[in-house]
Structures are given as C-alpha cells and as structure tokens.
Amino acid sequence: MSISPSSLNDVDAADSDLVRRAQAGDARAFDSLVTRYRGKVYGMCYHLVQNEQDAWDLAQEAFIKAWRALASFKGDASFYTWIYRIAHNSTYDWLRKRKIEGAGEFDDERQAGVAAGAETVPKGEHRPDEALKNRELGTRIQQAIDQLSPDHRTAILLREVEGFSYEEIAQIMESSMGTVMSRLFYARKKLQELLKDAYENA
Amino acid sequence: MKTPDDQLLARWLDGELSADERPRFEAMLEADPALREEANSLRQLGNLLRANVDMERPLPNADFFNSQIQEQIAADQRADQRVKSTAAAGTGTSWLSWLRSPWIFAGAAAALAVGMLVMPSAQPGEETKVLSFYTPKSGIEASTYHNKDAGATVLVLNGLEAIPSDRDIVGINVHHSETDAQVATTTLYDDQGGVLLVMAKDSASKPMVLGRSAH
C-alpha cells in the first residue's frame, strides 16, 4: 500500500490541525485521528464491557459518532477528552440496554471472574521471569479492577492511568467534580483492600 | 466514611490542591503519622496501577477498523450529497424534505419496523433538535446529523431490513394540515398505486403509522 505525503505528515500533525481538516470534510485527516486514538478508545471500552468484540464495535461506533458530531466540537476540550466522552456515553448506553434486556449485570460490585484474556496489558519490556511475575500481578490487578462498578473503574483508570484532572474526568463522565472525587475515593478504598499486600511487598 | 482529611489527601495526591492549600496540608501530614501512612499507601497504589495497567490495548484488525469507519464516512458524504442535490432542486428545506430523497425510501419502506422521526418545528435551514428516539424493534439505531449546506437534518436508520422486491415505492404524497403546516401526513405508494405506508404525527407530535397495504 502506498503512503501519500499527506498521510506521512499527518503522523506528526497536531490534533487541532487534523480536527480542523476533518471538520472541513477531510476524511483522511479523521483517519489519522482514528489511528492515533483507536487503541485508547478501544481500551476504555474494553475495560468497561470486558469483551473484545463488543469493545471493538463500541469503539468504532464512538468514532463514527465523533465524525458526525465534528461540527459541534469547538476545541474547548482536547479531541482526546472529547472522543473519550463519546466512547464513554456509547458504552454506558450499551451497558444500560444490556441491563434492561437482562443479558448482563450492571451491579455496583461485580463479583464475576475475569474473562479469558482479560489481563491487563503489561507495560514495557521485561526479562522472561519478570514477565511471568508481571503477568500474574497484572491478572491480579485486573481482577481487582473488575470488582469495581463501571463508574468507579472508569474514574480510577482515567485518573491514575491516564492522568486526567478532576475537571477532565467530570467532562468525560458528564458528572460533577464532587461525584468524581467520591468515585475515586471509593475505588481507591476498594483497591487498597484488594491489593495492599501486592504493593507493600513489591 | 469520607472525612475532610480524606478529601484533602485525595486532592493532594491528585495535584488538585491550590497553592494556599498545599503547604497547609503538608504541615498536617507532617504532624499526623496515620495520615502520612495513608498517603503513602495510596501513593503506592497509584504507582502499582500506573506500572501495570495501560488504558491503551492493541486493537485487533486495526486496518479493518479504520476502513469500516472510512466506508461509513463515505456513505454519510454520499447521503449529504443527495440531500444537497435535493435541496438545490428546489424541494425546500422543511423537515419533510428528507422524505423526498430517493435514499430515504429504503428507510421508509422498512419504517414499519422502526420508530419514526419526531421533528419539532424549525425554521428552514436551522438544525432540527431531536430530543429522543424510540425504536421499538431492537437492533435498529436512529441518529441524526445536520447538513449545514443543505439546510436539512438527516435521519440515519441503521439495522433496517432489506426492502422486499414487491415494495417498490414509486410515489409519495405529503399532505399538510390546513390549520397547522407542521402537521402532515406522508403516504408512500407502490407502482400499482397501492398505499404502502401512511405516516403521521398525532396532536402531541408523536409519530404513528396509520396503515399500510396488505401485500
């Protein structure tokens, strides 16, 4: 497949430039934004639905909705925050529908086991023995995260893993700063209880 | 139970304290071993999560993911183009103009199975705000977007059934109420002149299907 000069340039293009071009109808610029954020959006959907196929579909739906709503994107927030918000809303709607249809649980405290392949993605390169240890630790952390409600899980991941501020998390989750703080508090308490020995012995 | 100290501690850990609050809280930390221990524990928890969890996941079939989005964008752009052509042909920009576009026939024919649109009145060219959708048949999703150039709001229905071959729509008639221009009845006809579908809004602007022929 040939790569056009414009797509090469897009690798380094700022989000704001790509958004501006996409707003003018440039589908290739939007494709670059998709490539840039698809892994993160898919990851966020996956953390919420814990199913690869559904997460894949929801992430795709989020980008299509974003394309259709591009005209309303004013750049007050970053594109990254904005696409997260769309993905979060789509995924929550999906979870609510599943709850209504009785096809899945939407409990505050999930006790279900971890789905096959649901371990966290290990970060960085490790020696083989370390890699095994990290995989085990990763699975344990994922199991702990899975016991949180979707709200608590999203809040803690956005804060601790993605480094979003309270204000940004509130925008993404369409909630108040007080609610964000409360969700973070309870998520941390639960994870402390489940993982204390893991980080104290590390 | 969350205490004021818990809140301050969380905000301190998350870098959310103001320049005034931070030294005050750090003095509290200095004087309170239990608070210091809790701060240390939460900081370690954060480090553990950051070191072992990544929000980003490798996306399976990433190229296919992008290409499907591009296909949808192309389909949207084609639909936009048709709406623009229809608008340019002088069919007006009222909320009913979408019904006059050939592409909508697929949606209209299958509208028996889907919730119809509710379009509150809008000035020509303005975006019509659709506050909610109701699609009684599961698997069908409705959404809208505004095409500024065409001055029309486009209804997109995903998941519709294919149009049966004996339901070719060859005629359409939009009848406006004599007392209220926004109240209208839309009738779709087949090549025999038979009525395929009649759509209307009731007095509360809720959509309703009045009837269809028994094919």
Side-chain angles (χ1 to χ4, degrees):
Chain A
M1 192 178 75
S2 65
I3 300 172
S4 71
S6 68
S7 63
L8 272 176
N9 292 340
D10 286 350
V11 173
D12 297 321
D15 282 4
S16 53
D17 290 338
L18 293 172
V19 168
R20 223 175 357 258
R21 282 168 47 199
Q23 283 176 323
D26 183 345
R28 184 177 288 276
F30 189 73
D31 192 51
S32 297
L33 287 166
V34 173
T35 301
R36 194 169 287 180
Y37 291 112
R38 64 191 177 193
K40 282 185 179 289
V41 171
Y42 168 68
M44 186 203 192
C45 296
Y46 183 85
H47 276 295
L48 282 169
V49 304
Q50 295 171 343
N51 170 308
E52 282 191 356
Q53 186 56 55
D54 291 328
W56 201 92
D57 290 344
L58 286 162
Q60 196 172 68
E61 183 186 321
F63 281 110
I64 291 169
K65 282 183 175 171
W67 167 261
R68 290 176 179 160
L70 264 179
S72 69
F73 179 70
K74 307 291 181 210
D76 301 335
S78 66
F79 179 79
Y80 182 24
T81 310
W82 188 66
I83 187 69
Y84 259 28
R85 183 164 70 191
I86 294 172
H88 178 264
N89 285 345
S90 296
T91 308
Y92 254 69
D93 286 346
W94 185 87
L95 286 168
R96 279 194 200 100
K97 273 184 200 159
R98 267 176 61 99
K99 186 194 173 194
I100 291 165
E101 289 166 6
E105 294 297 319
F106 196 50
D107 295 338
D108 230 28
E109 295 290 334
R110 289 174 55 95
Q111 299 297 333
V114 179
E119 73 274 8
T120 54
V121 179
K123 277 188 158 182
E125 298 287 326
H126 300 283
R127 296 203 326 259
D129 56 336
E130 278 184 350
L132 177 63
K133 209 172 140 191
N134 282 332
R135 259 203 308 278
E136 286 170 359
L137 181 60
T139 303
R140 185 153 170 228
I141 294 168
Q142 187 63 53
Q143 283 172 332
I145 292 171
D146 290 347
Q147 289 195 41
L148 304 175
S149 70
D151 279 333
H152 293 174
R153 203 182 311 154
T154 305
I156 196 74
L157 291 174
L158 291 177
R159 173 62 222 140
E160 294 289 16
V161 180
E162 290 296 274
F164 282 118
S165 67
Y166 290 173
E167 193 180 351
E168 288 169 322
I169 299 171
Q171 279 176 6
I172 290 168
M173 300 185 75
E174 293 189 338
S175 53
S176 69
M177 300 254 281
T179 303
V180 169
M181 288 175 67
S182 177
R183 286 172 179 164
L184 285 172
F185 175 80
Y186 288 108
R188 281 172 167 148
K189 280 287 160 211
K190 184 75 180 175
L191 292 178
Q192 255 184 321
E193 179 192 316
L194 295 169
L195 295 170
K196 196 161 190 169
D197 64 301
Y199 60 75
E200 284 187 342
N201 298 331
Chain B
M1 180 64 82
K2 213 169 16 164
T3 66
D5 284 358
D6 288 328
Q7 286 193 18
L8 284 171
L9 173 57
R11 290 175 56 218
W12 177 73
L13 281 168
D14 294 330
E16 300 270 349
L17 287 183
S18 68
D20 290 342
E21 289 171 316
R22 206 168 63 208
R24 281 208 301 272
F25 180 76
E26 285 170 357
M28 273 172 69
L29 262 185
E30 199 64 37
D32 186 342
L35 189 61
R36 211 162 48 239
E37 192 184 329
E38 179 68 357
N40 196 36
S41 173
L42 288 174
R43 202 178 353 221
Q44 283 181 305
L45 173 65
N47 291 341
L48 183 80
L49 293 175
R50 274 188 294 281
N52 291 280
V53 182
D54 199 341
M55 191 67 115
E56 187 162 354
R57 291 183 68 84
L59 181 75
N61 307 311
D63 287 344
F64 183 54
F65 182 89
N66 280 43
S67 68
Q68 280 203 316
I69 292 171
Q70 288 294 309
E71 275 179 31
Q72 188 60 55
I73 288 173
D76 282 1
Q77 288 178 330
R78 285 195 297 275
D80 279 352
Q81 202 51 51
R82 290 193 195 102
V83 172
K84 278 182 205 167
S85 306
T86 307
T91 50
T93 57
S94 76
W95 68 270
L96 284 168
S97 62
W98 64 275
L99 280 170
R100 301 189 182 102
S101 302
W103 63 270
I104 197 62
F105 288 173
L112 307 172
V114 304
M116 290 156 50
L117 81 169
V118 183
M119 296 287 192
S121 60
Q123 292 303 311
E126 280 184 1
E127 181 174 4
T128 299
K129 299 286 181 196
V130 180
L131 300 177
S132 65
F133 289 108
Y134 170 58
T135 55
K137 188 167 180 179
S138 63
I140 294 174
E141 290 184 0
S143 60
T144 60
Y145 63 96
H146 185 64
N147 184 300
K148 207 159 40 175
D149 294 341
T153 297
V154 180
L155 172 70
V156 179
L157 300 170
N158 277 325
L160 295 171
E161 292 163 5
I163 314 170
S165 57
D166 61 345
R167 292 289 175 88
D168 285 342
I169 300 165
V170 299
I172 182 168
N173 178 50
V174 180
H175 177 75
H176 287 271
S177 159
E178 290 179 10
T179 54
D180 183 350
Q182 284 301 317
V183 176
T185 302
T186 303
T187 308
L188 307 180
Y189 300 96
D190 66 12
D191 57 353
Q192 306 298 311
V195 175
L196 289 174
L197 180 70
V198 183
M199 298 176 285
K201 293 194 293 183
D202 66 15
S203 56
S205 279
K206 287 184 179 165
M208 56 184 183
V209 176
L210 297 179
R212 59 183 168 124
S213 64
H215 270 270

